[in-house]
Amino acid sequence: MRENAWKKYDEAGLKEVFEYCEGYKKYISDCKTERECVSESIRIAETYGYRNLEDVIKNKETLKSGDKVYANNMGKGIALFLIGEEPMAAGCNILGAHVDSPRLDIKQNPLYEDKEFAMLDTHYYGGIKKYQWVTLPLALHGVVVKKDGTVIELNIGEDDSDPIVGISDLLVHLSADQMSKKASNVIEGEDLNVTIGSMPLDGEEKDAVKANILKLLKEKYDFEEDDFVSAEIEVVPAGKARDYGLDRSMVAGYGHDDRICAYTSMMAQLETESVKRTAVTLLVDKEEVGSIGATGQHSRFFENTVAEVMDRLGEYSELNVRRALKNSKMLSSDVSAAFDPNYAAVNEEKNSAFMGHGLVFNKYTGSRGKGGCNDANAEYMAELRNIMDSENVTFQTAELGKVDQGGGGTIAYILAQYNMEVIDSGIALHNMHAPWEIASKIDIWEATKGYKAFLKHA
């Protein structure tokens, strides 16, 4: 095991680490949906001089080395390009991550009243332990789109003056049958119903509590019950990311998976001013449910955007696009499981990631005999070792648990289909996929350093 990264820094260095992590804490506190992440990422990128690629195309402008552009994929994904000195056909250096996180989604016809409670039906999104989502303060984030195209943004439960919502649990005094169930069935998926009100509307005889909620929504947000059909509302933990540990060495927050890699990748690129090979940060949606759909990595968004950028550079041809993708190198960044002394039995210690030991490289992921993995080439792994050591980046290698214990994956295998070099990398967490996950501040810092080194030297 390599030395703990905290030991590298003097007082001034530690101050820089802690200050940097304040920006990250704000990002994940403000951005709890993929839409919010993309909107904020665009806002930040524009302060660094990035321009909307659509404007460049519309104005028939020409791009050149040093130019900075971004492409927005339906408000749920984004690709940032820093044009390099070399032709794009020679390949790009790509940082990839995802901005969706496990959560509960409101169903299309969600609102009902039951025994004088107004409730919302949900469908969970991604891999969760359902029992972790009860008795928590929860918030509602998302959009409601009316038939005329008006978009209404919702964010209820984050301001100190806001109400929160939640999912009830059975009192322990009456839970003998519940406690005898398997953990996967203690709370059933159809029982993750969110309580949002209990006050009846005066004068209403039927579903008066539901009627009162609809009245409040109409008055404050100007939408009707039918508008839920064209809404995307997510139920997420309410509250800001917080320092964790008496030494403030860690961050507790919702959505570290995978916004911790999204933020560090994005900031690494934004803080890089010039590169030989074009630098790309690709932040995508739908990873938690298989990377499908128009905003997932399986879509043609990235390939199409590369073609558009090359066209503005005067380099476009079908063959050049294929060459650009084949000759690219990528860090597919997603979180890894940090060794937890409370649950040591699921890990093989020599090949586990540890908090405080920097950026994690997973040569392979998958499960049950590496099934479904992207297994990076040894030559590429050697190149990355050299890059990280040349920039004094603390890194470690790991796999996700013992053989046959479980497994996981990222978007790496999808990009590898272009024949480019790809490896899984990221930051190790405790409580992965729980409503509140834990990360080390020094790992956030080392990851950003590592991503900068990759963009500079790969």
Side-chain angles (χ1 to χ4, degrees):
M1 185 190 301
R2 295 189 172 219
E3 188 176 52
N4 191 302
W6 287 109
K7 297 179 180 180
K8 293 194 307 186
Y9 296 97
D10 58 16
E11 186 174 345
L14 292 177
K15 184 174 184 291
E16 192 174 6
V17 171
F18 278 84
E19 288 177 350
Y20 177 77
C21 288
E22 289 303 304
Y24 170 65
K25 284 164 57 182
K26 185 178 188 308
Y27 183 81
I28 60 167
S29 296
D30 293 344
C31 304
K32 293 189 176 180
T33 71
E34 59 279 11
R35 288 178 183 270
E36 291 169 342
C37 287
V38 169
S39 178
E40 179 64 5
S41 296
I42 289 173
R43 187 195 69 77
I44 296 172
E46 288 181 343
T47 68
Y48 281 83
Y50 280 73
R51 301 175 57 216
N52 193 330
L53 179 61
E54 288 187 4
D55 293 336
V56 173
I57 295 169
K58 181 179 178 181
N59 297 329
K60 298 182 180 180
E61 298 177 44
T62 300
L63 294 175
K64 62 184 184 306
S65 177
D67 283 346
K68 306 170 183 179
V69 293
Y70 68 83
N72 179 353
N73 187 13
M74 302 182 183
K76 297 181 179 181
I78 186 172
L80 302 164
F81 290 78
L82 171 59
I83 307 302
E85 299 169 8
E86 297 179 357
M88 275 186 68
C92 305
N93 292 339
I94 305 168
L95 301 172
H98 67 91
V99 290
D100 60 315
S101 295
R103 60 180 190 258
L104 306 179
D105 283 345
I106 297 299
K107 290 185 180 182
Q108 297 299 278
N109 295 293
L111 182 60
Y112 67 99
E113 181 172 331
D114 192 353
K115 302 299 184 290
E116 298 183 320
F117 286 101
M119 313 286 287
L120 292 174
D121 263 329
T122 70
H123 194 134
Y124 64 91
Y125 175 97
I128 66 170
K129 293 180 177 179
K130 295 184 283 293
Y131 64 79
Q132 293 179 334
W133 285 78
V134 298
T135 75
L136 292 177
L138 299 175
L140 302 175
H141 290 234
V143 296
V144 179
V145 184
K146 303 181 75 171
K147 286 191 293 184
D148 64 2
T150 301
V151 178
I152 301 164
E153 295 186 2
L154 294 184
N155 186 324
I156 305 170
E158 300 296 349
D159 190 89
D160 288 343
S161 64
D162 281 352
I164 57 170
V165 296
I167 301 168
S168 60
D169 193 11
L170 186 62
L171 65 162
V172 69
H173 310 73
L174 300 178
S175 61
D177 290 345
Q178 182 193 52
M179 297 290 280
S180 68
K181 294 181 180 180
K182 291 172 57 178
S184 59
N185 298 323
V186 167
I187 303 293
E188 300 287 352
E190 282 290 356
D191 293 335
L192 291 170
N193 305 311
V194 179
T195 303
I196 61 169
S198 65
M199 183 189 300
L201 181 64
D202 188 38
E204 291 287 330
E205 293 185 3
K206 183 181 178 182
D207 291 344
V209 178
K210 174 184 172 181
N212 193 41
I213 293 296
L214 288 172
K215 177 176 178 288
L216 294 172
L217 292 175
K218 177 64 176 176
E219 289 174 350
K220 184 164 185 179
Y221 298 103
D222 191 30
F223 74 86
E224 313 279 352
E225 183 174 7
D226 285 350
D227 293 324
F228 277 115
V229 172
S230 52
E232 291 179 351
I233 302 173
E234 302 176 13
V235 183
V236 298
K240 297 180 179 180
R242 299 281 299 276
D243 285 344
Y244 190 79
L246 300 186
D247 56 4
R248 299 182 180 271
S249 60
M250 296 168 281
V251 177
Y254 165 69
H256 284 323
D257 182 6
D258 184 38
R259 292 160 192 153
I260 197 168
C261 295
Y263 181 83
T264 49
S265 296
M266 176 182 68
M267 294 309 298
Q269 174 152 337
L270 296 182
E271 293 175 358
T272 299
E273 282 299 318
S274 62
V275 286
K276 290 184 178 180
R277 286 160 56 94
T278 292
V280 182
T281 294
L282 178 62
L283 308 181
V284 300
D285 182 27
K286 297 293 191 291
E287 192 276 344
E288 297 293 356
V289 291
S291 297
I292 39 66
T295 56
Q297 186 53 55
H298 276 298
S299 81
R300 298 287 185 183
F301 165 72
F302 180 57
E303 181 180 332
N304 292 344
T305 303
V306 168
E308 294 283 8
V309 172
M310 294 185 75
D311 182 61
R312 292 298 89 205
L313 285 164
E315 297 180 25
Y316 175 77
S317 73
E318 176 65 20
L319 183 58
N320 274 346
V321 172
R322 294 187 185 192
R323 285 173 174 167
L325 294 168
K326 175 187 180 297
N327 293 329
S328 291
K329 298 175 182 178
M330 182 183 187
L331 298 184
S332 174
S333 295
D334 206 340
V335 294
S336 190
F339 185 90
D340 187 337
N342 282 333
Y343 306 99
V346 300
N347 294 292
E348 192 268 290
E349 192 168 331
K350 299 190 307 301
N351 289 289
S352 296
F354 286 81
M355 274 195 184
H357 290 259
L359 180 62
V360 182
F361 287 105
N362 293 86
K363 185 178 183 295
Y364 50 85
T365 53
S367 60
R368 297 178 302 281
K370 297 186 180 180
C373 77
N374 172 71
D375 198 340
N377 293 320
E379 292 86 350
Y380 188 40
M381 185 71 229
E383 179 185 359
L384 293 171
R385 288 174 58 204
N386 184 51
I387 289 171
M388 299 302 142
D389 285 344
S390 71
E391 294 288 338
N392 193 28
V393 176
T394 299
F395 72 95
Q396 55 188 318
T397 60
E399 61 181 14
L400 195 59
K402 286 182 176 178
V403 175
D404 288 336
Q405 185 68 47
T410 71
I411 61 173
Y413 75 99
I414 305 169
L415 276 298
Q417 293 178 94
Y418 290 115
N419 204 209
M420 69 175 71
E421 294 274 25
V422 186
I423 193 169
D424 290 287
S425 65
I427 295 170
L429 303 181
H430 281 175
N431 304 355
M432 190 194 302
H433 279 215
W436 295 99
E437 299 168 316
I438 311 300
S440 170
K441 291 182 178 180
I442 200 67
D443 293 340
I444 296 169
W445 179 255
E446 292 295 325
T448 306
K449 284 179 56 182
Y451 296 149
K452 287 180 180 178
F454 171 78
L455 295 178
K456 180 179 178 182
H457 296 297

